[in-house]
Amino acid sequence: MKRSKRVIPGFGLSMGVTLSILGLVVVIPLASLVVFTAQMSFADIIKTITRDRILASFRVSFLTAFIASLINLVMGVILAWVLVRYKFPFKRILDGMIELPFALPTAVAGITLTSLTADTGLFGKFFGIFGVKIAYTRIGITVALVFIGIPFVVRAVQPVLEKLDASYEEAAGVLGASRSKIFFKVILPEIMPAALTGFGLAFGRCIGEYGSVVFIAGNKPFETEITPLIIMSELQEYDYPSATAIALVMLIASFVILFATNLIQARSAKILKGDS
Amino acid sequence: MDKTQDQSKNAKIVKWLLISISTLFIAVMLLLPLVTVIIEAFRQGFEVYLKAIADEYTVKATLLTLEATLFAVVINTVFGLFAAWTVTKFKFHGKKLLTTLIDIPVTVSPIIAGLIFVLTFGRQSFIYPLLEKADVKIVFAVPGIVLATIFVTFPFISRELIPVLEAQGTDEEEAAALMGASLPRIFTKVTFPHIKWAFLYGVVLCTARAMGEFGAVSVLSGHIRGKTNTLPLHVEILFNEFKYVPAFAVSSILVILAVIVLIIRSVVEYHGKKDG
């Protein structure tokens, strides 16, 4: 048994290289966070993170990230459906564009969305007619986060839709179910785990997002100040304990989200494997 | 008869409605920002554009960005190849922990990524006296920028390779090993042909993300113009000084890179589907 496991050469070498680089780049820096945290008192951490301004920033960050990810959940399912099920001109270009938020630097996305939605920009002017301000408000933050989160749900749902057996739908159709009923009763339950995985990944990414948000947010304390920006300003004032305490809250939140997402993902992986 | 005709008519309406919503969403959220960068960059003509690109500080920022990117791509390529080989070709305990650790850099906020390097090498660190003695500056200096760039792009190459190698299995490598082929020979003749497209995409994505990293680099850079300023940080400074045309001109360099990433991605996907 053991022999068949290690027929391929190079286990020691590749494991060694992998662990050395991983240790230097990821583990040691993370360990220094743990060491630094261990030197702080629990009471101090609680005192730091319950300051009004910090709490307000948590509210802004989580609320805007949640709403943006919800929008992406709905749009992601629609986009995945359209890209998998329909044939139409320019479909491949549309499909390729989905990845843009991964490839475009966040700072470039940030200044572009800001100039489009400021009072003088194309959208700013249009929505200004209705008295709606986008840039430098929470709406602006949400717009930037929608941009950042677009690929996650689409890319999670697409493979599941591709593998979904059409025979269930046909059976339901033969039995006289309406198209909307087929979608909500047959297809949606199948793609829901994947869609929620995408939602979780987008949500996790959005609460930590910095570059695309700082320009459009306006960064008014209590109103449009996001948590990553607060960490940034604490760092600029050399207040490392305070920055670390706030970062811990963000880290715990993103690990909880990641954990929940992994649980859901395990279920959707079962569906994917079951068909092939 | 009438009912089925009605249904197929409804289906057509739904189809084109969904396609229109999707196209509109992508046009507004993704295409328009991309076009806006180019329009804004050339707003005052080609000469002003060229002047902004050839500006002394832009050139210096470009050089620093290229330096950090080169380090990130080389180290993450070495790591990506060895890590993907380790994870997919061998069975061992703790594999799940290893893959989780590899993915950590993309799950934490870029600001927190910056923070952990400040804590590791900054003034309050126990390494700091040693660094000072050796006259090595990391935080607010070029090495810090390089480290942050390596960290945030850490899993990009291994991530692209692992699913492809997993799908390919280990049979071919085992056969080659039993016939007495050496590790380099197995890798170049048996394994690499399977992963060449995924590898190319990983390298290009890593390059683009390394060039565009903003948050983590922003924490570790002292924002000294001509010294510790990368392209995205230069964009930020220009934008905050209301120098919009130069800001977008510099951005356009990064946009071109993003478009190249998208094109290579769709080529990779095309080859992946053809091979699979």
Side-chain angles (χ1 to χ4, degrees):
Chain A
M1 199 50 207
K2 196 146 198 169
R3 209 167 51 96
S4 73
K5 234 197 277 183
R6 301 275 156 81
V7 172
I8 303 168
F11 179 71
L13 172 74
S14 61
M15 189 58 131
V17 173
T18 304
L19 290 182
S20 316
I21 302 181
L22 185 72
L24 285 173
V25 177
V26 179
V27 178
I28 291 179
L30 274 180
S32 69
L33 180 75
V34 177
V35 169
F36 192 73
T37 309
Q39 294 166 353
M40 299 192 296
S41 81
F42 188 69
D44 280 348
I45 295 178
I46 296 295
K47 215 175 120 192
T48 306
I49 61 176
T50 49
R51 292 200 307 243
D52 284 346
R53 192 167 164 185
I54 313 289
L55 287 178
S57 85
F58 289 146
R59 222 168 295 142
V60 173
S61 275
F62 283 98
L63 191 73
T64 51
F66 188 74
I67 293 172
S69 306
L70 269 187
I71 294 172
N72 274 327
L73 180 64
V74 176
M75 281 315 299
V77 171
I78 294 176
L79 281 166
W81 176 263
V82 165
L83 290 172
V84 172
R85 289 295 170 101
Y86 299 143
K87 278 202 176 101
F88 56 95
F90 305 115
K91 180 171 138 172
R92 273 197 67 178
I93 296 176
L94 219 60
D95 193 45
M97 290 288 296
I98 301 281
E99 224 78 359
L100 180 69
F102 283 158
L104 194 70
T106 51
V108 175
I111 66 165
T112 311
L113 291 172
T114 308
S115 79
L116 274 171
T117 55
D119 290 342
T120 49
L122 194 61
F123 292 123
K125 264 187 206 150
F126 177 75
F127 284 99
I129 300 171
F130 308 101
V132 178
K133 272 186 179 290
I134 298 179
Y136 317 124
T137 68
R138 289 183 189 180
I139 302 174
I141 301 177
T142 311
V143 169
L145 293 179
V146 168
F147 173 88
I148 290 300
I150 289 171
F152 293 97
V153 176
V154 185
R155 292 303 184 227
V157 173
Q158 256 178 332
V160 180
L161 266 181
E162 270 162 15
K163 290 233 164 170
L164 206 63
D165 201 339
S167 62
Y168 291 115
E169 290 163 51
E170 279 163 23
V174 171
L175 291 173
S178 67
R179 294 189 73 84
S180 61
K181 208 168 177 182
I182 293 175
F183 181 78
F184 286 106
K185 296 270 172 180
V186 180
I187 298 167
L188 201 58
E190 290 285 321
I191 58 175
M192 218 42 200
L196 287 176
T197 302
F199 173 84
L201 291 173
F203 188 50
R205 168 80 204 264
C206 284
I207 54 170
E209 178 57 23
Y210 176 74
S212 60
V213 178
V214 277
F215 298 101
I216 205 167
N219 310 328
K220 242 193 314 183
F222 299 101
E223 295 274 327
T224 56
E225 196 174 42
I226 55 166
T227 312
L229 184 80
I230 293 213
I231 300 177
M232 186 76 177
S233 36
E234 301 284 17
L235 279 172
Q236 274 161 355
E237 284 160 23
Y238 299 102
D239 190 347
Y240 296 152
S242 179
T244 307
I246 303 164
L248 279 178
V249 176
M250 301 296 280
L251 271 177
I252 291 167
S254 54
F255 283 136
V256 169
I257 294 167
L258 197 70
F259 184 69
T261 310
N262 276 341
L263 285 184
I264 303 165
Q265 199 169 24
R267 283 181 58 190
S268 80
K270 260 187 211 156
I271 295 172
L272 261 181
K273 280 211 177 112
D275 270 45
S276 60
Chain B
M1 227 23 202
D2 263 8
K3 207 183 154 198
T4 49
Q5 255 179 2
D6 261 14
Q7 269 201 355
S8 72
K9 207 172 153 195
N10 276 344
K12 258 205 176 129
I13 296 172
V14 171
K15 176 184 165 181
W16 287 107
L17 190 71
L18 290 179
I19 290 177
S20 313
I21 292 173
S22 301
T23 313
L24 191 71
F25 182 74
I26 290 182
V28 168
M29 286 303 298
L30 298 175
L31 192 61
L32 196 67
L34 209 56
V35 175
T36 305
V37 175
I38 306 299
I39 292 176
E40 293 287 329
F42 287 100
R43 173 154 288 206
Q44 286 165 11
F46 196 66
E47 249 166 68
V48 180
Y49 175 83
L50 273 187
K51 220 179 122 197
I53 298 282
D55 175 76
E56 188 198 340
Y57 290 122
T58 308
V59 173
K60 277 191 176 155
T62 310
L63 288 177
L64 178 59
T65 298
L66 288 177
E67 186 188 336
T69 304
L70 186 71
F71 273 105
V73 171
V74 169
I75 289 179
N76 292 338
T77 300
V78 173
F79 174 79
L81 289 173
F82 278 105
W85 181 266
T86 312
V87 168
T88 58
K89 300 297 169 196
F90 303 103
K91 282 184 189 155
F92 55 89
H93 291 293
K95 193 184 270 190
K96 185 92 194 156
L97 178 70
L98 183 67
T99 49
T100 310
L101 279 173
I102 294 173
D103 270 338
I104 278 185
V106 286
T107 53
V108 306
S109 166
I111 298 300
I112 296 177
L115 166 76
I116 63 174
F117 281 100
V118 171
L119 292 181
T120 313
F121 298 109
R123 234 179 269 178
Q124 77 308 313
S125 160
F126 64 91
I127 313 175
Y128 190 74
L130 294 174
L131 292 173
E132 211 167 40
K133 228 180 236 168
D135 204 23
V136 178
K137 251 181 95 72
I138 293 181
V139 175
F140 307 136
V142 174
I145 292 173
V146 172
L147 279 173
T149 309
I150 295 170
F151 182 85
V152 292
T153 56
F154 191 62
F156 280 130
I157 294 171
S158 60
R159 248 186 175 190
E160 296 303 322
L161 301 183
I162 288 172
V164 182
L165 284 178
E166 211 136 67
Q168 180 229 339
T170 55
D171 295 350
E172 293 173 47
E173 281 85 1
E174 273 167 20
L178 287 173
M179 284 188 273
S182 65
L183 177 63
R185 204 172 153 81
I186 297 176
F187 181 75
T188 49
K189 297 280 175 189
V190 179
T191 312
F192 195 72
H194 289 287
I195 55 168
K196 57 176 191 263
W197 289 104
F199 178 70
L200 177 68
Y201 178 60
V203 170
V204 173
L205 185 66
C206 183
T207 309
R209 291 295 286 262
M211 285 186 77
E213 177 50 31
F214 178 69
V217 168
S218 183
V219 173
L220 283 156
S221 158
H223 297 270
I224 308 160
R225 239 185 256 211
K227 280 231 169 101
T228 58
N229 226 9
T230 63
L231 276 182
L233 297 177
H234 194 49
V235 169
E236 179 193 24
I237 290 179
L238 290 170
F239 190 80
N240 287 341
E241 286 173 349
F242 307 105
K243 291 176 182 154
Y244 295 132
V245 172
F248 282 103
V250 175
S251 297
S252 71
I253 307 172
L254 297 163
V255 164
I256 292 166
L257 200 72
V259 173
I260 293 173
V261 171
L262 295 184
I263 292 170
I264 292 185
R265 205 205 98 91
S266 40
V267 172
V268 170
E269 213 187 42
Y270 175 74
H271 280 273
K273 276 198 179 141
K274 208 176 64 179
D275 294 344

